[in-house]
Amino acid sequence: MKKTALLAFFTFLFLAGCAGINFSQLSPDAKDFHPKTIAVMPATVGEHESSRDIIDGVVSASLLKSKRYDNIVDSTTIKTQISNSTELANELAFYIQKINTLGVSDPQSVAKLRESIEAEAILLTYVSSWGYGRADGNKVARVGLGLKLVDSSTGRIVWKASHELIEEYTIIRPDQAKMADKLMRMLIKEMPR
């Protein structure tokens, strides 16, 4: 009986150790990519509009806490630049539309963005799930994010990842901002250094 319990315990530890990010893909170029500045683009939220301000704040704050970069151009700064420059707004909209529809990072658009935002890396954030609902008869909170890290000197997507956290609850709803922070910390561990 002890052997069975011990085997079950080690199996649990192994499976717990395997729990990680749903998807993470690193470009071969990542080994030579070590940016000191990163620009956090405003999140693409789709139908999850209520997540916008929270996610934009959490992404920038999480990167700041990670101390991976010397300078972080947060999404609020980017939004201010966009509101002051129609050209930048159009270029960013064109770039994001192309990368979202074709999956291609346009080098010319990235070069123009790099001039305006002055960052070696661009981080795109996508909200894939956000809200409260039910799963298997239980009340759950969901937060799902996708990230793309782009080398602004070449336009190449250096890394992309996505993951979703789901927390069950009975009475008190989990704080989605805290869930997003936890999720970002997990994703940042996967980012190239």
Side-chain angles (χ1 to χ4, degrees):
M1 186 67 171
K2 287 183 180 183
K3 286 182 182 179
T4 305
L6 193 58
L7 180 61
F9 175 74
F10 284 114
T11 302
F12 169 77
L13 284 179
F14 173 76
L15 292 174
C18 292
I21 303 303
N22 290 346
F23 172 79
S24 181
Q25 183 179 36
L26 194 61
S27 164
D29 301 329
K31 68 181 184 324
D32 300 322
F33 184 60
H34 309 287
K36 294 190 182 324
T37 58
I38 187 168
V40 180
M41 296 294 118
T44 301
V45 297
E47 65 189 49
H48 310 291
E49 187 59 42
S50 64
S51 70
R52 181 178 304 282
D53 292 337
I54 294 169
I55 292 301
D56 283 344
V58 165
V59 171
S60 296
S62 296
L63 287 170
L64 187 62
K65 286 180 210 170
S66 76
K67 298 182 180 178
R68 288 182 175 230
Y69 304 97
D70 293 343
N71 185 31
I72 298 165
V73 182
D74 65 6
S75 59
T76 303
T77 303
I78 300 294
K79 288 176 190 176
T80 301
Q81 289 179 333
I82 290 169
S83 68
N84 293 331
S85 170
T86 305
E87 185 180 340
L88 178 59
N90 291 338
E91 197 60 53
L92 183 58
F94 173 76
Y95 175 72
I96 289 176
Q97 181 182 14
K98 193 166 186 178
I99 200 168
N100 289 347
T101 56
L102 301 177
V104 176
S105 178
D106 182 52
Q108 286 113 359
S109 291
V110 172
K112 291 177 185 175
L113 292 173
R114 181 183 173 115
E115 287 176 26
S116 299
I117 58 177
E118 299 177 0
E120 298 164 292
I122 296 172
L123 185 68
L124 302 169
T125 305
Y126 302 88
V127 179
S128 57
S129 62
W130 184 267
Y132 300 96
R134 290 197 170 269
D136 299 324
N138 299 316
K139 293 185 210 176
V140 295
R142 293 179 183 269
V143 174
L145 296 177
L147 300 176
K148 289 181 183 174
L149 183 66
V150 178
D151 179 344
S152 66
S153 65
T154 64
R156 289 193 180 118
I157 299 171
V158 177
W159 170 76
K160 55 187 171 180
S162 63
H163 193 61
E164 180 182 50
L165 289 182
I166 301 171
E167 289 187 17
E168 290 186 12
Y169 68 97
T170 51
I171 298 172
I172 300 172
R173 288 180 168 187
D175 182 333
Q176 288 184 293
K178 288 181 181 174
M179 289 177 67
D181 179 60
K182 179 179 178 182
L183 179 52
M184 272 306 297
R185 282 185 275 122
M186 292 171 69
L187 289 166
I188 287 171
K189 286 179 184 174
E190 297 286 318
M191 285 177 84
R193 292 184 169 259

